[in-house]
Amino acid sequence: MAPTVPLAALALLALVAPGLGAAPGCDYPAHRWCSSRDAAVACQVESRCPSLPHPAAAPVELSLYYESLCPACREFLVMNLFSTWLLLPDEMLNITLVPYGNAQERNVSGKLDFQCQHGPEECLGNMIEACLMHEAQNFSTYFPVIFCLESGSSVTKNLEA
């Protein structure tokens, strides 16, 4: 575990040697590091700012049932949901992704057969993404990969890249 440095020491260092002590991307003077959650995160001192407000409400629960090749689903996931997830603190939004959407399942001679709205490639894309989620288990690990897969022309073609 890395040694901890008191905030006062970091502030003093920043005053004596500007540019040293502050995290890359921290554009705040030392005396403003704990003035807001954004400043504390940017300066990587969030754990040293006990006065930061804590969320008053439970996080918003959002479940997205989508199809891996559906143009509207992909646009929402890539253009809206991913950027919102990046901007909001973890404690404000819990997202559940369900790559199933408008699929149908039938029992054909004791075997499940899936029909996807946009064809067999979409069923494969849905399975790839569901498998990724199952194996990675951590949303912060698999959501950026799903964003990458959904951002290109085809989930299955983007998989190799």
Side-chain angles (χ1 to χ4, degrees):
M1 186 164 92
T4 59
V5 179
L7 185 59
L10 292 174
L12 181 61
L13 180 63
L15 290 173
V16 174
L20 294 177
C26 176
D27 297 326
Y28 298 90
H31 70 279
R32 306 257 320 140
W33 287 354
C34 289
S35 63
S36 72
R37 184 164 302 282
D38 290 342
V41 168
C43 298
Q44 298 178 8
V45 295
E46 195 172 9
S47 65
R48 302 197 175 281
C49 301
S51 63
L52 287 176
H54 297 286
V60 172
E61 299 287 339
L62 184 141
S63 295
L64 177 64
Y65 289 75
Y66 68 101
E67 305 155 28
S68 65
L69 291 183
C70 170
C73 296
R74 297 176 78 198
E75 181 179 346
F76 174 74
L77 192 147
V78 170
M79 302 302 290
N80 302 109
L81 186 59
F82 189 75
S83 57
T84 300
W85 173 70
L86 288 174
L87 292 173
L88 293 178
D90 290 344
E91 62 269 10
M92 289 184 73
L93 180 63
N94 286 336
I95 301 172
T96 301
L97 297 177
V98 183
Y100 185 76
N102 195 17
Q104 306 295 320
E105 57 185 74
R106 299 178 303 157
N107 187 332
V108 179
S109 302
K111 181 180 175 190
L112 284 179
D113 178 54
F114 292 90
Q115 300 288 319
C116 294
Q117 182 178 1
H118 300 96
E121 186 180 357
E122 180 173 84
C123 283
L124 179 59
N126 291 349
M127 287 189 289
I128 289 168
E129 291 183 8
C131 183
L132 171 64
M133 288 182 232
H134 176 76
E135 291 299 317
Q137 295 184 353
N138 182 315
F139 187 83
S140 296
T141 301
Y142 65 72
F143 193 31
V145 177
I146 288 175
F147 168 79
C148 180
L149 292 173
E150 293 289 341
S151 294
S153 60
S154 163
V155 171
T156 55
K157 292 181 180 118
N158 293 345
L159 187 59
E160 188 175 319

